[in-house]
Amino acid sequence: MDPLSDILSLLKPRSYVSAGFDAGGDWAIRFTDQQGRIKCYAVVSGACWLTVDDVSEPVRLRAGDCFVLPSGRPFRLASDAALEPVDSSAVFPPARPGGVVTYNGGGDFFLVGSRFAVSGPHTAGLLRTLPPIVHIHKEPDQTALRWSVEQMMHELHAQQPGGALIAQHLAHMMLIHALRAYLAEGAPAGVGWFHALTDRQMSAAIEAMHEEPAHRWTVQALAERACMSRSSFAARFREAVGQTPMEYLTRWRMLLAADRLENSADSISVIALSLGYESESAFSTAFKRVMGCSPRQHARGRGLHGSNRQVAPADEVPNSHTAAEATLTLAGT
């Protein structure tokens, strides 16, 4: 798979809920703890303001717009960004698939959307690598995303055989389609693997590592994939991704290893060999350094706290977040 598909495949979607929101008059609602949920919405009618934590400027949403909130941050929706918001718990009852919540009598603004949670000990770090807001502007992309939202609502409401599996694939499809459209529109300058995918030469090196994670990559070999000199490639990779090429490769291997420890019956020695390590001890040393616990502890579930702490970005480049920019890394050092 390509790097974007590779990394997003580690986010296991679950807990799908699709519903509608019909508001009237003046209103403002704050959605606080998102608990790792990713949200995808389409504005059917009316307009509102979207404000996301750590993003300096609110975003104006109008009928036809689609947007995805992939980072799990708290956010606000409001008819007027200056209004004092009420907490979403006071407006929304326990979620039920296909339901519509009416607020202030409805009639002025209508929104449909889906939300899904993602799981895994590396989830927190992976979510922070994604942009805080993906606002879809182009009509073809809006049409495709609206179709996905509407199809998920239909599947969850109809409760046909196989509907849960279809919803799972739709959840992934919505996220990937939105992020792909975001990249295609020209993602603004930033630091991290996601933004590096817009750089043809850096993307070539990242793709090589993802295609063959067990290969004995050197900086020179990766520089050749990028058609650059070794020194120029190393400096540019560090600047673009926020890590050295070898740091990125090691962390990607460890994320793959963690996923297999959780979701397969493969032994540690088999996983180590498949990721290019000649001995289990060398692999275990690298795993503990990156993930904060040994592979055996991780497999038993005792290392989950340490995993979250180590995989989350810790050395992001200082930058003021705006609706169109965020500082992104795959994993901090």
Side-chain angles (χ1 to χ4, degrees), residues 11-284:
L11 298 173
K12 318 281 186 198
R14 57 182 176 82
S15 303
Y16 320 96
V17 176
S18 292
F21 175 59
D22 186 8
D26 295 328
W27 57 275
I29 301 172
R30 177 166 179 79
F31 300 81
T32 49
D33 186 5
Q34 296 306 293
Q35 300 177 334
R37 295 188 183 97
I38 295 173
K39 299 197 170 186
C40 177
Y41 294 106
V43 179
V44 177
S45 62
C48 77
W49 290 96
L50 166 67
T51 306
V52 177
D53 277 17
D54 297 325
V55 176
S56 60
E57 297 294 329
V59 175
R60 185 64 170 170
L61 301 169
R62 297 177 175 84
D65 283 2
C66 297
F67 65 101
V68 177
L69 305 176
S71 65
R73 305 182 193 196
F75 66 99
R76 290 194 308 163
L77 292 174
S79 60
D80 183 339
L83 292 173
E84 186 68 25
V86 299
D87 191 83
S88 60
S89 61
V91 177
F92 293 89
R96 59 185 180 87
V100 175
V101 172
T102 301
Y103 188 61
N104 277 355
D108 294 326
F109 174 78
F110 191 67
L111 180 81
V112 295
S114 295
R115 78 179 189 208
F116 53 94
V118 291
S119 58
H122 36 259
T123 294
L126 290 174
L127 287 180
R128 282 196 288 271
T129 68
L130 301 176
I133 304 171
V134 178
H135 187 191
I136 306 301
H137 300 277
K138 294 183 179 179
E139 177 59 31
D141 297 322
Q142 290 177 343
T143 300
L145 207 57
R146 281 197 300 269
W147 179 88
S148 299
V149 171
E150 292 166 359
Q151 192 65 25
M152 179 176 277
M153 291 185 70
H154 170 74
E155 290 295 335
L156 293 171
H157 182 70
Q159 297 185 338
Q160 296 282 341
L165 185 59
I166 291 177
Q168 175 180 331
H169 289 303
L170 284 168
H172 258 146
M173 188 171 73
M174 284 188 289
L175 180 59
I176 293 171
H177 184 88
L179 293 175
R180 186 172 61 186
Y182 182 81
L183 289 171
E185 288 186 0
V191 176
W193 68 270
F194 184 77
H195 283 279
L197 295 181
T198 64
D199 183 313
R200 181 178 56 82
Q201 290 173 298
M202 297 302 98
S203 180
I206 292 172
E207 286 176 4
M209 288 185 272
H210 281 249
E211 287 172 1
E212 298 182 86
H215 185 74
R216 292 187 177 182
W217 290 109
T218 63
V219 175
Q220 179 62 43
L222 291 169
E224 290 172 1
R225 286 295 186 99
C227 300
M228 299 177 67
S229 70
R230 184 186 184 281
S231 58
S232 295
F233 167 75
R236 187 158 152 191
F237 193 97
R238 175 76 190 216
E239 180 182 357
V241 180
Q243 300 170 283
T244 68
M246 294 300 102
E247 286 172 340
Y248 180 94
L249 176 61
T250 299
R251 282 175 168 76
W252 176 236
R253 286 171 171 171
M254 295 307 106
L255 284 173
L256 291 175
D259 186 63
R260 288 176 62 180
L261 286 167
E262 297 160 33
N263 299 297
S264 79
D266 293 342
S267 67
I268 293 174
S269 60
V270 166
I271 294 173
L273 185 63
S274 72
L275 293 175
Y277 290 87
E278 294 182 349
S279 70
E280 183 177 324
S281 62
F283 165 73
S284 296

